[in-house]
Amino acid sequence: MSAPASAATIWDGQRLGITVGSVVLIFLAAIEALAVTTVMPLVATDLQGEALYAVAFAGTLATGVIGMVVAGAWSDRAGPRAPLYTAIALFIVGLVIAGAATDMYTLVLGRLIQGLGGGGQTVALYVVVARVYPPQLHGRIFAAYAAAWVVPSMVGPFLAGAVAQYLHWRWAFLGVAVLTAVAFVLVAVRLRGVDLNTHPGEAEDPPAEGLPAGARIGLRIMLAVIVAVAAVVVGFAADLAPAAGWPLAAASVMAIAFAIRPLLPAGTLRAAPRLPSVVLMRGLAAGAFFAAEAYVPKMLMERFDFSPTIAGLALTVSALAWSGGSAVQGRYGDRLGSRRMEVISTVLMLVGFGGVLVVAAVHAAPWVVVVLWGFAGGGMGLLYPRLTVLTLAYSTPTDEGFNSSALSISDSTGSAVTIAIAGLLFVSLPIAGSGFPVVFGLAVVVLLIAAVPGFRLGDGPAAPAVSSGDPARR
């Protein structure tokens, strides 16, 4: 007999193996993300691909949309086990291709494949959480995932910079590929024999209405491909003359807005209350943060002559603050409520973005960036897991895969498009001697727009719905 809900923890005997395995995957994803952000300025210079700097980030996020849609639909139909394993394998293949690349186009190809795997892995893990952990543990498990960034954040950027500086940047990709292969085996062993197809004690899900299942899935995949291709095109627009690049980028953004609507909850693009606003805010906040973060180490290295190891300190401080903010959210999120959490996180990020913008504009006090980026990371740490918990709170067993997929699609698409636009702004609208001020200014504007859905999040279903066994999350 399982432990009573009040006594259940994410570390009890029933869930210990799954918690450990999934946290290891998050740990390695953290290592990879922090390492690539640190070394990418060196990669672009070494492979003579400065114009493709932004698309090396945006492309991974864009193809992640395809992985998310496929993994979400696959998980809803057959459980998250096979989607998770496939995603991990693609992630490893992409890392190997990127690590062995001899030109920027090959590296981008590896990053595109890596994105397919990374996106699918994220959604599959969310569904694993929904299928294995009771509602009252969701905040805790997501806080544990955030805590898995603590060690990578302390050593990841510095280690990646040191590896690139004293060995070679290729090991930032190949080393993670080897470790992920080991984690793959660990996760497969931990999940063996665990029922991931249904919620314990619940009846079989009723058939969905509307189009046949195959047609629905095919349509969603086709739309995801359109979104991904259009986002990548926005990134490549920076490689063109502004007269051609900007119209192409504008047309691509319009295509994304058209294609992405069926992949998100109804009303998302107009910031309808509750779940639609949760999903929209995730995309806008992610876009603002990651577009700025992609250029933080680049600015420190190119404008202020920081070494890769020292430039990585800004990412270290930010990631540590992110983990701390996530821990605070896990403990006090329900007590503070979504409105207060949104206001606090927005203010912290505005301090970070605005401060870095000033440093970029006046070309002075570069060390302040390390502290300022900690404020930005702390704000994201408060906001990110809260939005994930709310998404599960507004979900049922029949749409957990779709809603988890929608949250991640919004996250990746918002990041990919904003990073791509930042790259176009960087090369076409230099201010104060460089494109850095306009990039950080874009982050401030996008974050302010995110405040609109932020005030319409809600706090999830009422407590009785959760206690009665309904899968809606707090």
Side-chain angles (χ1 to χ4, degrees):
M1 180 178 297
S2 60
S6 60
T9 74
I10 63 174
W11 306 108
D12 59 33
Q14 183 180 358
R15 304 174 184 87
L16 176 62
I18 300 172
T19 299
V20 171
S22 60
V23 166
V24 168
L25 285 175
I26 299 297
F27 174 88
L28 291 172
I31 286 282
E32 187 276 337
L34 293 165
V36 170
T37 304
T38 302
V39 305
M40 191 57 71
L42 298 177
V43 174
T45 299
D46 190 28
L47 299 183
Q48 299 180 355
E50 289 289 343
L52 300 179
Y53 180 85
V55 78
F57 292 98
T60 303
L61 296 166
T63 55
V65 173
I66 301 174
M68 292 166 193
V69 172
V70 173
W74 195 353
S75 296
D76 282 342
R77 296 191 69 187
R81 190 189 313 275
L84 179 61
Y85 293 176
T86 303
I88 296 171
L90 287 171
F91 185 73
I92 294 171
V93 170
L95 284 169
V96 172
I97 293 175
T102 56
D103 60 76
M104 196 66 173
Y105 289 98
T106 303
L107 183 130
V108 169
L109 173 63
R111 296 280 288 162
L112 295 178
I113 296 173
Q114 181 188 336
L116 287 171
Q121 176 178 298
T122 298
V123 171
L125 282 177
Y126 284 178
V127 179
V128 167
V129 168
R131 300 289 170 89
V132 173
Y133 298 85
Q136 67 270 20
L137 296 183
H138 287 171
R140 299 293 185 181
I141 186 62
F142 288 123
Y145 287 172
W149 284 71
V150 172
V151 173
S153 64
M154 288 190 294
V155 303
F158 182 86
L159 181 61
V163 167
Q165 188 173 347
Y166 299 111
L167 295 176
H168 202 282
W169 57 261
R170 297 184 186 281
W171 287 106
F173 296 95
L174 299 177
V176 175
V178 172
L179 294 174
T180 303
V182 175
F184 190 2
V185 176
L186 173 63
V187 170
V189 171
R190 297 296 186 180
L191 288 178
R192 182 188 304 164
V194 178
D195 181 12
L196 299 177
N197 294 320
T198 60
H199 293 262
E202 291 181 354
E204 182 179 355
D205 296 340
E209 300 179 355
L211 289 173
R216 291 197 312 274
I217 294 171
L219 176 62
R220 287 162 63 183
I221 293 174
M222 180 186 70
L223 293 172
V225 170
I226 293 173
V227 170
V229 170
V232 172
V233 169
V234 176
F236 277 104
D239 199 24
L240 304 174
W246 278 106
L248 180 62
S252 298
V253 170
M254 292 177 62
I256 292 170
F258 171 79
I260 202 172
R261 290 181 64 188
L263 303 176
L264 305 177
T268 296
L269 297 186
R270 56 182 174 81
R274 297 162 68 87
L275 179 62
S277 284
V278 170
V279 173
L280 178 60
M281 187 177 192
R282 178 69 161 252
L284 291 171
F289 181 84
F290 291 113
E293 184 171 74
Y295 285 86
V296 167
K298 185 176 178 66
M299 180 182 72
L300 292 176
M301 284 187 249
E302 294 183 1
R303 292 281 284 176
F304 298 105
D305 296 323
F306 280 35
S307 68
T309 53
I310 301 303
L313 286 177
L315 304 186
T316 297
V317 172
S318 176
L320 285 171
W322 185 315
S323 296
S326 295
V328 171
Q329 185 284 142
R331 182 174 295 272
Y332 302 108
D334 288 344
R335 187 182 308 174
L336 291 174
S338 299
R339 178 71 62 86
R340 291 177 181 173
M341 296 289 287
E342 184 272 334
V343 170
I344 295 170
S345 62
T346 298
V347 169
L348 289 173
M349 285 188 279
L350 281 176
V351 170
F353 297 166
V356 176
L357 169 60
V358 172
V359 172
V362 302
H363 191 62
W367 280 101
V368 178
V369 172
V370 175
V371 177
L372 290 170
W373 207 240
F375 281 94
M380 286 295 281
L382 288 173
L383 183 65
Y384 238 57
R386 185 64 185 174
L387 295 178
T388 303
V389 169
L390 285 175
T391 297
L392 292 180
Y394 292 128
S395 300
T396 68
T398 57
D399 61 15
E400 282 167 344
F402 175 83
N403 290 342
S404 296
S405 175
L407 184 71
S408 297
I409 286 170
S410 178
D411 186 322
S412 290
T413 303
S415 299
V417 172
T418 310
I419 290 172
I421 292 174
L424 188 55
L425 288 169
F426 183 83
V427 300
S428 60
L429 292 176
I431 298 175
S434 75
F436 293 111
V438 73
V439 168
F440 299 123
L442 172 68
V444 171
V445 171
V446 173
L447 182 61
L448 290 174
I449 295 173
V452 175
F455 283 103
R456 314 186 79 183
L457 299 179
D459 285 305
V466 176
S467 62
S468 65
D470 188 87
R473 306 304 188 237
R474 63 187 176 88

